[in-house]
Amino acid sequence: AAFSLHARTRTQRYHLHAHEQYTAECARAARAARTPFYANGDVYTWEDAERLWGLDRGVTGVMLGRGAIIKPWLPREIKERQTLDVRSGERFETLRRFVDYGLLHWGCDSHGVETTRGFLLQWLAFLCQYVPVGMLALTPHEAPLRYNPALVHRPPLARMWGRDDLETLMLSSSAQDWVRISEMLLGPPPPAFRFVPKHQSNAWAAGGDSKGR
């Protein structure tokens, strides 16, 4: 038997950091019971993973959640113990592979294309939260506050400019821009297409509407 812990309350959701003190208490209890224990919560860099491992010897491993959705290369960073500056071209190729897998699974007909588009757009709602480390004034381990790409505070209607046009598009919090990225991979959506993010707070559209159309 083994268990994992995501040390965050339901009411807290994602607005505050996970409770590491409680994680450490559970790790000590797991160690006393000789039970494998996997810690989870706020793992966005390899330093975050090592911090959880260092809470107590009872931490067997670290479970990834949103960090791996926002940064699919996070396991590689943890393995190599380095922060990677993944440029827009490489990230776009990751999206292309995702689309290829979707079409292989659901088919290349209109149903398969639009099903793949739906999952791609929901993923883009998370991917846009990543601010490339090459754009930061300080690298994560140098910053005075813990770097958390999911909690980057920026005005909801502010436009962030990347190092190239594609990176700028990927930084956008607009659902309409996510649809534009999907068009680059899957072609235009049907005329009546309407996209509503599951996490509507992640998106805004022209005129302040949170629903992409």
PDB file of all heavy atoms in Angstrom, residues 165-198:
ATOM      1  N   ASP A 165       6.851  36.075 -32.463  1.00  0.00           N
ATOM      2  CA  ASP A 165       5.396  36.175 -32.591  1.00  0.00           C
ATOM      3  C   ASP A 165       4.683  34.960 -32.014  1.00  0.00           C
ATOM      4  O   ASP A 165       3.622  35.084 -31.386  1.00  0.00           O
ATOM      5  CB  ASP A 165       5.013  36.357 -34.056  1.00  0.00           C
ATOM      6  CG  ASP A 165       5.438  37.710 -34.610  1.00  0.00           C
ATOM      7  OD1 ASP A 165       5.706  38.620 -33.791  1.00  0.00           O
ATOM      8  OD2 ASP A 165       5.511  37.851 -35.843  1.00  0.00           O
ATOM      9  N   LEU A 166       5.244  33.768 -32.229  1.00  0.00           N
ATOM     10  CA  LEU A 166       4.602  32.555 -31.727  1.00  0.00           C
ATOM     11  C   LEU A 166       4.616  32.526 -30.201  1.00  0.00           C
ATOM     12  O   LEU A 166       3.628  32.143 -29.570  1.00  0.00           O
ATOM     13  CB  LEU A 166       5.303  31.314 -32.295  1.00  0.00           C
ATOM     14  CG  LEU A 166       4.719  29.962 -31.878  1.00  0.00           C
ATOM     15  CD1 LEU A 166       3.242  29.859 -32.255  1.00  0.00           C
ATOM     16  CD2 LEU A 166       5.516  28.823 -32.522  1.00  0.00           C
ATOM     17  N   GLU A 167       5.727  32.946 -29.605  1.00  0.00           N
ATOM     18  CA  GLU A 167       5.798  32.971 -28.155  1.00  0.00           C
ATOM     19  C   GLU A 167       4.802  33.978 -27.583  1.00  0.00           C
ATOM     20  O   GLU A 167       4.173  33.721 -26.547  1.00  0.00           O
ATOM     21  CB  GLU A 167       7.214  33.316 -27.692  1.00  0.00           C
ATOM     22  CG  GLU A 167       7.436  33.140 -26.198  1.00  0.00           C
ATOM     23  CD  GLU A 167       8.912  33.214 -25.837  1.00  0.00           C
ATOM     24  OE1 GLU A 167       9.473  34.335 -25.892  1.00  0.00           O
ATOM     25  OE2 GLU A 167       9.496  32.170 -25.515  1.00  0.00           O
ATOM     26  N   THR A 168       4.634  35.114 -28.245  1.00  0.00           N
ATOM     27  CA  THR A 168       3.641  36.097 -27.819  1.00  0.00           C
ATOM     28  C   THR A 168       2.245  35.501 -27.855  1.00  0.00           C
ATOM     29  O   THR A 168       1.439  35.689 -26.932  1.00  0.00           O
ATOM     30  CB  THR A 168       3.695  37.341 -28.720  1.00  0.00           C
ATOM     31  OG1 THR A 168       4.984  37.953 -28.599  1.00  0.00           O
ATOM     32  CG2 THR A 168       2.621  38.351 -28.330  1.00  0.00           C
ATOM     33  N   LEU A 169       1.942  34.751 -28.911  1.00  0.00           N
ATOM     34  CA  LEU A 169       0.636  34.110 -29.031  1.00  0.00           C
ATOM     35  C   LEU A 169       0.428  33.088 -27.923  1.00  0.00           C
ATOM     36  O   LEU A 169      -0.660  32.989 -27.340  1.00  0.00           O
ATOM     37  CB  LEU A 169       0.515  33.445 -30.401  1.00  0.00           C
ATOM     38  CG  LEU A 169      -0.873  32.980 -30.840  1.00  0.00           C
ATOM     39  CD1 LEU A 169      -1.837  34.146 -30.928  1.00  0.00           C
ATOM     40  CD2 LEU A 169      -0.780  32.243 -32.174  1.00  0.00           C
ATOM     41  N   MET A 170       1.471  32.337 -27.605  1.00  0.00           N
ATOM     42  CA  MET A 170       1.361  31.322 -26.558  1.00  0.00           C
ATOM     43  C   MET A 170       1.211  31.931 -25.165  1.00  0.00           C
ATOM     44  O   MET A 170       0.706  31.293 -24.254  1.00  0.00           O
ATOM     45  CB  MET A 170       2.590  30.409 -26.599  1.00  0.00           C
ATOM     46  CG  MET A 170       2.638  29.495 -27.804  1.00  0.00           C
ATOM     47  SD  MET A 170       4.135  28.482 -27.807  1.00  0.00           S
ATOM     48  CE  MET A 170       3.712  27.276 -29.077  1.00  0.00           C
ATOM     49  N   LEU A 171       1.662  33.173 -24.986  1.00  0.00           N
ATOM     50  CA  LEU A 171       1.542  33.850 -23.696  1.00  0.00           C
ATOM     51  C   LEU A 171       0.161  34.458 -23.481  1.00  0.00           C
ATOM     52  O   LEU A 171      -0.165  34.875 -22.365  1.00  0.00           O
ATOM     53  CB  LEU A 171       2.584  34.970 -23.595  1.00  0.00           C
ATOM     54  CG  LEU A 171       4.020  34.569 -23.283  1.00  0.00           C
ATOM     55  CD1 LEU A 171       4.951  35.729 -23.572  1.00  0.00           C
ATOM     56  CD2 LEU A 171       4.153  34.131 -21.838  1.00  0.00           C
ATOM     57  N   SER A 172      -0.634  34.507 -24.529  1.00  0.00           N
ATOM     58  CA  SER A 172      -1.914  35.197 -24.451  1.00  0.00           C
ATOM     59  C   SER A 172      -2.901  34.475 -23.542  1.00  0.00           C
ATOM     60  O   SER A 172      -3.012  33.245 -23.559  1.00  0.00           O
ATOM     61  CB  SER A 172      -2.525  35.325 -25.854  1.00  0.00           C
ATOM     62  OG  SER A 172      -3.829  35.873 -25.786  1.00  0.00           O
ATOM     63  N   SER A 173      -3.647  35.250 -22.761  1.00  0.00           N
ATOM     64  CA  SER A 173      -4.707  34.710 -21.909  1.00  0.00           C
ATOM     65  C   SER A 173      -6.065  34.772 -22.601  1.00  0.00           C
ATOM     66  O   SER A 173      -7.084  34.504 -21.970  1.00  0.00           O
ATOM     67  CB  SER A 173      -4.775  35.498 -20.596  1.00  0.00           C
ATOM     68  OG  SER A 173      -3.578  35.390 -19.871  1.00  0.00           O
ATOM     69  N   SER A 174      -6.073  35.108 -23.865  1.00  0.00           N
ATOM     70  CA  SER A 174      -7.325  35.220 -24.615  1.00  0.00           C
ATOM     71  C   SER A 174      -7.708  33.879 -25.221  1.00  0.00           C
ATOM     72  O   SER A 174      -6.918  33.258 -25.942  1.00  0.00           O
ATOM     73  CB  SER A 174      -7.178  36.258 -25.726  1.00  0.00           C
ATOM     74  OG  SER A 174      -8.277  36.189 -26.613  1.00  0.00           O
ATOM     75  N   ALA A 175      -8.922  33.450 -24.975  1.00  0.00           N
ATOM     76  CA  ALA A 175      -9.412  32.206 -25.566  1.00  0.00           C
ATOM     77  C   ALA A 175      -9.423  32.291 -27.079  1.00  0.00           C
ATOM     78  O   ALA A 175      -9.252  31.280 -27.772  1.00  0.00           O
ATOM     79  CB  ALA A 175     -10.809  31.891 -25.035  1.00  0.00           C
ATOM     80  N   GLN A 176      -9.615  33.476 -27.622  1.00  0.00           N
ATOM     81  CA  GLN A 176      -9.600  33.641 -29.069  1.00  0.00           C
ATOM     82  C   GLN A 176      -8.224  33.323 -29.650  1.00  0.00           C
ATOM     83  O   GLN A 176      -8.116  32.757 -30.748  1.00  0.00           O
ATOM     84  CB  GLN A 176     -10.017  35.068 -29.436  1.00  0.00           C
ATOM     85  CG  GLN A 176     -11.474  35.379 -29.090  1.00  0.00           C
ATOM     86  CD  GLN A 176     -11.850  36.814 -29.379  1.00  0.00           C
ATOM     87  OE1 GLN A 176     -10.988  37.665 -29.594  1.00  0.00           O
ATOM     88  NE2 GLN A 176     -13.142  37.094 -29.384  1.00  0.00           N
ATOM     89  N   ASP A 177      -7.175  33.655 -28.919  1.00  0.00           N
ATOM     90  CA  ASP A 177      -5.827  33.333 -29.390  1.00  0.00           C
ATOM     91  C   ASP A 177      -5.552  31.835 -29.279  1.00  0.00           C
ATOM     92  O   ASP A 177      -4.814  31.273 -30.095  1.00  0.00           O
ATOM     93  CB  ASP A 177      -4.781  34.124 -28.598  1.00  0.00           C
ATOM     94  CG  ASP A 177      -4.725  35.580 -29.035  1.00  0.00           C
ATOM     95  OD1 ASP A 177      -5.082  35.864 -30.196  1.00  0.00           O
ATOM     96  OD2 ASP A 177      -4.335  36.427 -28.215  1.00  0.00           O
ATOM     97  N   TRP A 178      -6.141  31.186 -28.298  1.00  0.00           N
ATOM     98  CA  TRP A 178      -5.988  29.729 -28.209  1.00  0.00           C
ATOM     99  C   TRP A 178      -6.638  29.077 -29.431  1.00  0.00           C
ATOM    100  O   TRP A 178      -6.098  28.109 -29.971  1.00  0.00           O
ATOM    101  CB  TRP A 178      -6.621  29.196 -26.934  1.00  0.00           C
ATOM    102  CG  TRP A 178      -6.141  29.855 -25.683  1.00  0.00           C
ATOM    103  CD1 TRP A 178      -4.987  30.570 -25.512  1.00  0.00           C
ATOM    104  CD2 TRP A 178      -6.806  29.883 -24.423  1.00  0.00           C
ATOM    105  NE1 TRP A 178      -4.893  31.029 -24.232  1.00  0.00           N
ATOM    106  CE2 TRP A 178      -5.998  30.627 -23.532  1.00  0.00           C
ATOM    107  CE3 TRP A 178      -8.003  29.361 -23.952  1.00  0.00           C
ATOM    108  CZ2 TRP A 178      -6.359  30.841 -22.205  1.00  0.00           C
ATOM    109  CZ3 TRP A 178      -8.364  29.577 -22.630  1.00  0.00           C
ATOM    110  CH2 TRP A 178      -7.544  30.305 -21.771  1.00  0.00           C
ATOM    111  N   VAL A 179      -7.787  29.593 -29.843  1.00  0.00           N
ATOM    112  CA  VAL A 179      -8.444  29.077 -31.043  1.00  0.00           C
ATOM    113  C   VAL A 179      -7.551  29.303 -32.260  1.00  0.00           C
ATOM    114  O   VAL A 179      -7.441  28.441 -33.144  1.00  0.00           O
ATOM    115  CB  VAL A 179      -9.823  29.732 -31.235  1.00  0.00           C
ATOM    116  CG1 VAL A 179     -10.446  29.293 -32.564  1.00  0.00           C
ATOM    117  CG2 VAL A 179     -10.752  29.380 -30.073  1.00  0.00           C
ATOM    118  N   ARG A 180      -6.866  30.445 -32.318  1.00  0.00           N
ATOM    119  CA  ARG A 180      -5.947  30.717 -33.427  1.00  0.00           C
ATOM    120  C   ARG A 180      -4.837  29.665 -33.475  1.00  0.00           C
ATOM    121  O   ARG A 180      -4.463  29.197 -34.558  1.00  0.00           O
ATOM    122  CB  ARG A 180      -5.331  32.103 -33.276  1.00  0.00           C
ATOM    123  CG  ARG A 180      -6.271  33.256 -33.591  1.00  0.00           C
ATOM    124  CD  ARG A 180      -5.568  34.587 -33.412  1.00  0.00           C
ATOM    125  NE  ARG A 180      -4.371  34.683 -34.246  1.00  0.00           N
ATOM    126  CZ  ARG A 180      -3.419  35.602 -34.082  1.00  0.00           C
ATOM    127  NH1 ARG A 180      -3.515  36.480 -33.084  1.00  0.00           N
ATOM    128  NH2 ARG A 180      -2.377  35.633 -34.881  1.00  0.00           N
ATOM    129  N   ILE A 181      -4.303  29.287 -32.311  1.00  0.00           N
ATOM    130  CA  ILE A 181      -3.267  28.254 -32.281  1.00  0.00           C
ATOM    131  C   ILE A 181      -3.844  26.930 -32.776  1.00  0.00           C
ATOM    132  O   ILE A 181      -3.184  26.200 -33.538  1.00  0.00           O
ATOM    133  CB  ILE A 181      -2.697  28.105 -30.859  1.00  0.00           C
ATOM    134  CG1 ILE A 181      -1.945  29.382 -30.457  1.00  0.00           C
ATOM    135  CG2 ILE A 181      -1.773  26.898 -30.774  1.00  0.00           C
ATOM    136  CD1 ILE A 181      -1.460  29.381 -29.013  1.00  0.00           C
ATOM    137  N   SER A 182      -5.059  26.614 -32.373  1.00  0.00           N
ATOM    138  CA  SER A 182      -5.679  25.367 -32.830  1.00  0.00           C
ATOM    139  C   SER A 182      -5.861  25.375 -34.341  1.00  0.00           C
ATOM    140  O   SER A 182      -5.740  24.329 -34.992  1.00  0.00           O
ATOM    141  CB  SER A 182      -7.023  25.144 -32.125  1.00  0.00           C
ATOM    142  OG  SER A 182      -8.069  25.914 -32.706  1.00  0.00           O
ATOM    143  N   GLU A 183      -6.140  26.536 -34.920  1.00  0.00           N
ATOM    144  CA  GLU A 183      -6.300  26.635 -36.376  1.00  0.00           C
ATOM    145  C   GLU A 183      -4.989  26.359 -37.094  1.00  0.00           C
ATOM    146  O   GLU A 183      -4.979  25.837 -38.216  1.00  0.00           O
ATOM    147  CB  GLU A 183      -6.826  28.022 -36.753  1.00  0.00           C
ATOM    148  CG  GLU A 183      -8.251  28.281 -36.292  1.00  0.00           C
ATOM    149  CD  GLU A 183      -8.702  29.702 -36.581  1.00  0.00           C
ATOM    150  OE1 GLU A 183      -7.829  30.548 -36.896  1.00  0.00           O
ATOM    151  OE2 GLU A 183      -9.902  29.961 -36.489  1.00  0.00           O
ATOM    152  N   MET A 184      -3.868  26.698 -36.473  1.00  0.00           N
ATOM    153  CA  MET A 184      -2.561  26.441 -37.074  1.00  0.00           C
ATOM    154  C   MET A 184      -2.287  24.952 -37.177  1.00  0.00           C
ATOM    155  O   MET A 184      -1.474  24.516 -37.993  1.00  0.00           O
ATOM    156  CB  MET A 184      -1.472  27.132 -36.242  1.00  0.00           C
ATOM    157  CG  MET A 184      -1.593  28.651 -36.209  1.00  0.00           C
ATOM    158  SD  MET A 184      -0.557  29.423 -34.935  1.00  0.00           S
ATOM    159  CE  MET A 184       1.089  29.046 -35.550  1.00  0.00           C
ATOM    160  N   LEU A 185      -2.957  24.154 -36.350  1.00  0.00           N
ATOM    161  CA  LEU A 185      -2.715  22.716 -36.298  1.00  0.00           C
ATOM    162  C   LEU A 185      -3.861  21.897 -36.887  1.00  0.00           C
ATOM    163  O   LEU A 185      -3.636  20.796 -37.385  1.00  0.00           O
ATOM    164  CB  LEU A 185      -2.490  22.285 -34.847  1.00  0.00           C
ATOM    165  CG  LEU A 185      -1.234  22.846 -34.177  1.00  0.00           C
ATOM    166  CD1 LEU A 185      -1.345  22.741 -32.649  1.00  0.00           C
ATOM    167  CD2 LEU A 185       0.003  22.094 -34.660  1.00  0.00           C
ATOM    168  N   LEU A 186      -5.075  22.421 -36.809  1.00  0.00           N
ATOM    169  CA  LEU A 186      -6.244  21.641 -37.197  1.00  0.00           C
ATOM    170  C   LEU A 186      -7.120  22.317 -38.241  1.00  0.00           C
ATOM    171  O   LEU A 186      -8.155  21.771 -38.616  1.00  0.00           O
ATOM    172  CB  LEU A 186      -7.097  21.338 -35.953  1.00  0.00           C
ATOM    173  CG  LEU A 186      -6.473  20.396 -34.932  1.00  0.00           C
ATOM    174  CD1 LEU A 186      -7.217  20.493 -33.600  1.00  0.00           C
ATOM    175  CD2 LEU A 186      -6.484  18.964 -35.441  1.00  0.00           C
ATOM    176  N   GLY A 187      -6.721  23.508 -38.671  1.00  0.00           N
ATOM    177  CA  GLY A 187      -7.557  24.238 -39.609  1.00  0.00           C
ATOM    178  C   GLY A 187      -8.666  24.975 -38.882  1.00  0.00           C
ATOM    179  O   GLY A 187      -8.815  24.880 -37.670  1.00  0.00           O
ATOM    180  N   PRO A 188      -9.472  25.726 -39.626  1.00  0.00           N
ATOM    181  CA  PRO A 188     -10.523  26.528 -38.999  1.00  0.00           C
ATOM    182  C   PRO A 188     -11.617  25.650 -38.394  1.00  0.00           C
ATOM    183  O   PRO A 188     -11.937  24.587 -38.923  1.00  0.00           O
ATOM    184  CB  PRO A 188     -11.064  27.381 -40.157  1.00  0.00           C
ATOM    185  CG  PRO A 188     -10.723  26.600 -41.383  1.00  0.00           C
ATOM    186  CD  PRO A 188      -9.434  25.905 -41.094  1.00  0.00           C
ATOM    187  N   PRO A 189     -12.218  26.095 -37.281  1.00  0.00           N
ATOM    188  CA  PRO A 189     -13.322  25.347 -36.678  1.00  0.00           C
ATOM    189  C   PRO A 189     -14.607  25.558 -37.464  1.00  0.00           C
ATOM    190  O   PRO A 189     -14.670  26.439 -38.346  1.00  0.00           O
ATOM    191  CB  PRO A 189     -13.424  25.951 -35.275  1.00  0.00           C
ATOM    192  CG  PRO A 189     -12.941  27.358 -35.450  1.00  0.00           C
ATOM    193  CD  PRO A 189     -11.870  27.286 -36.502  1.00  0.00           C
ATOM    194  N   PRO A 190     -15.656  24.799 -37.179  1.00  0.00           N
ATOM    195  CA  PRO A 190     -16.944  25.000 -37.862  1.00  0.00           C
ATOM    196  C   PRO A 190     -17.487  26.403 -37.600  1.00  0.00           C
ATOM    197  O   PRO A 190     -17.142  27.036 -36.595  1.00  0.00           O
ATOM    198  CB  PRO A 190     -17.844  23.925 -37.221  1.00  0.00           C
ATOM    199  CG  PRO A 190     -16.897  22.911 -36.660  1.00  0.00           C
ATOM    200  CD  PRO A 190     -15.675  23.669 -36.249  1.00  0.00           C
ATOM    201  N   PRO A 191     -18.347  26.909 -38.469  1.00  0.00           N
ATOM    202  CA  PRO A 191     -18.877  28.274 -38.314  1.00  0.00           C
ATOM    203  C   PRO A 191     -19.542  28.523 -36.963  1.00  0.00           C
ATOM    204  O   PRO A 191     -19.438  29.614 -36.404  1.00  0.00           O
ATOM    205  CB  PRO A 191     -19.889  28.391 -39.465  1.00  0.00           C
ATOM    206  CG  PRO A 191     -19.405  27.415 -40.485  1.00  0.00           C
ATOM    207  CD  PRO A 191     -18.822  26.271 -39.712  1.00  0.00           C
ATOM    208  N   ALA A 192     -20.210  27.524 -36.418  1.00  0.00           N
ATOM    209  CA  ALA A 192     -20.940  27.708 -35.155  1.00  0.00           C
ATOM    210  C   ALA A 192     -20.082  27.364 -33.941  1.00  0.00           C
ATOM    211  O   ALA A 192     -20.606  27.256 -32.827  1.00  0.00           O
ATOM    212  CB  ALA A 192     -22.209  26.865 -35.155  1.00  0.00           C
ATOM    213  N   PHE A 193     -18.778  27.210 -34.134  1.00  0.00           N
ATOM    214  CA  PHE A 193     -17.912  26.783 -33.025  1.00  0.00           C
ATOM    215  C   PHE A 193     -17.905  27.812 -31.907  1.00  0.00           C
ATOM    216  O   PHE A 193     -17.842  29.015 -32.135  1.00  0.00           O
ATOM    217  CB  PHE A 193     -16.487  26.580 -33.536  1.00  0.00           C
ATOM    218  CG  PHE A 193     -15.503  26.207 -32.452  1.00  0.00           C
ATOM    219  CD1 PHE A 193     -15.443  24.916 -31.977  1.00  0.00           C
ATOM    220  CD2 PHE A 193     -14.654  27.166 -31.908  1.00  0.00           C
ATOM    221  CE1 PHE A 193     -14.547  24.576 -30.986  1.00  0.00           C
ATOM    222  CE2 PHE A 193     -13.763  26.830 -30.917  1.00  0.00           C
ATOM    223  CZ  PHE A 193     -13.704  25.526 -30.454  1.00  0.00           C
ATOM    224  N   ARG A 194     -17.942  27.317 -30.677  1.00  0.00           N
ATOM    225  CA  ARG A 194     -17.904  28.176 -29.497  1.00  0.00           C
ATOM    226  C   ARG A 194     -17.140  27.442 -28.405  1.00  0.00           C
ATOM    227  O   ARG A 194     -17.491  26.326 -28.052  1.00  0.00           O
ATOM    228  CB  ARG A 194     -19.318  28.500 -29.024  1.00  0.00           C
ATOM    229  CG  ARG A 194     -19.400  29.431 -27.816  1.00  0.00           C
ATOM    230  CD  ARG A 194     -20.853  29.854 -27.619  1.00  0.00           C
ATOM    231  NE  ARG A 194     -21.003  30.716 -26.454  1.00  0.00           N
ATOM    232  CZ  ARG A 194     -21.354  30.277 -25.260  1.00  0.00           C
ATOM    233  NH1 ARG A 194     -21.585  28.991 -25.065  1.00  0.00           N
ATOM    234  NH2 ARG A 194     -21.484  31.118 -24.250  1.00  0.00           N
ATOM    235  N   PHE A 195     -16.098  28.056 -27.886  1.00  0.00           N
ATOM    236  CA  PHE A 195     -15.265  27.421 -26.856  1.00  0.00           C
ATOM    237  C   PHE A 195     -15.448  28.130 -25.526  1.00  0.00           C
ATOM    238  O   PHE A 195     -15.300  29.343 -25.430  1.00  0.00           O
ATOM    239  CB  PHE A 195     -13.792  27.453 -27.266  1.00  0.00           C
ATOM    240  CG  PHE A 195     -12.866  27.004 -26.158  1.00  0.00           C
ATOM    241  CD1 PHE A 195     -12.920  25.705 -25.669  1.00  0.00           C
ATOM    242  CD2 PHE A 195     -11.960  27.888 -25.591  1.00  0.00           C
ATOM    243  CE1 PHE A 195     -12.087  25.300 -24.642  1.00  0.00           C
ATOM    244  CE2 PHE A 195     -11.119  27.490 -24.566  1.00  0.00           C
ATOM    245  CZ  PHE A 195     -11.178  26.190 -24.093  1.00  0.00           C
ATOM    246  N   VAL A 196     -15.766  27.350 -24.496  1.00  0.00           N
ATOM    247  CA  VAL A 196     -15.881  27.870 -23.140  1.00  0.00           C
ATOM    248  C   VAL A 196     -14.898  27.099 -22.269  1.00  0.00           C
ATOM    249  O   VAL A 196     -15.055  25.883 -22.081  1.00  0.00           O
ATOM    250  CB  VAL A 196     -17.308  27.708 -22.583  1.00  0.00           C
ATOM    251  CG1 VAL A 196     -17.380  28.234 -21.142  1.00  0.00           C
ATOM    252  CG2 VAL A 196     -18.309  28.439 -23.456  1.00  0.00           C
ATOM    253  N   PRO A 197     -13.847  27.733 -21.736  1.00  0.00           N
ATOM    254  CA  PRO A 197     -12.895  27.024 -20.873  1.00  0.00           C
ATOM    255  C   PRO A 197     -13.585  26.453 -19.639  1.00  0.00           C
ATOM    256  O   PRO A 197     -14.500  27.079 -19.083  1.00  0.00           O
ATOM    257  CB  PRO A 197     -11.881  28.112 -20.483  1.00  0.00           C
ATOM    258  CG  PRO A 197     -12.063  29.192 -21.498  1.00  0.00           C
ATOM    259  CD  PRO A 197     -13.499  29.154 -21.904  1.00  0.00           C
ATOM    260  N   LYS A 198     -13.159  25.269 -19.224  1.00  0.00           N
ATOM    261  CA  LYS A 198     -13.700  24.697 -17.989  1.00  0.00           C
ATOM    262  C   LYS A 198     -13.342  25.580 -16.807  1.00  0.00           C
ATOM    263  O   LYS A 198     -14.113  25.731 -15.874  1.00  0.00           O
ATOM    264  CB  LYS A 198     -13.158  23.287 -17.792  1.00  0.00           C
ATOM    265  CG  LYS A 198     -13.700  22.265 -18.773  1.00  0.00           C
ATOM    266  CD  LYS A 198     -13.175  20.868 -18.474  1.00  0.00           C
ATOM    267  CE  LYS A 198     -13.751  19.850 -19.440  1.00  0.00           C
ATOM    268  NZ  LYS A 198     -13.225  18.481 -19.170  1.00  0.00           N
TER     269      LYS A 198
END
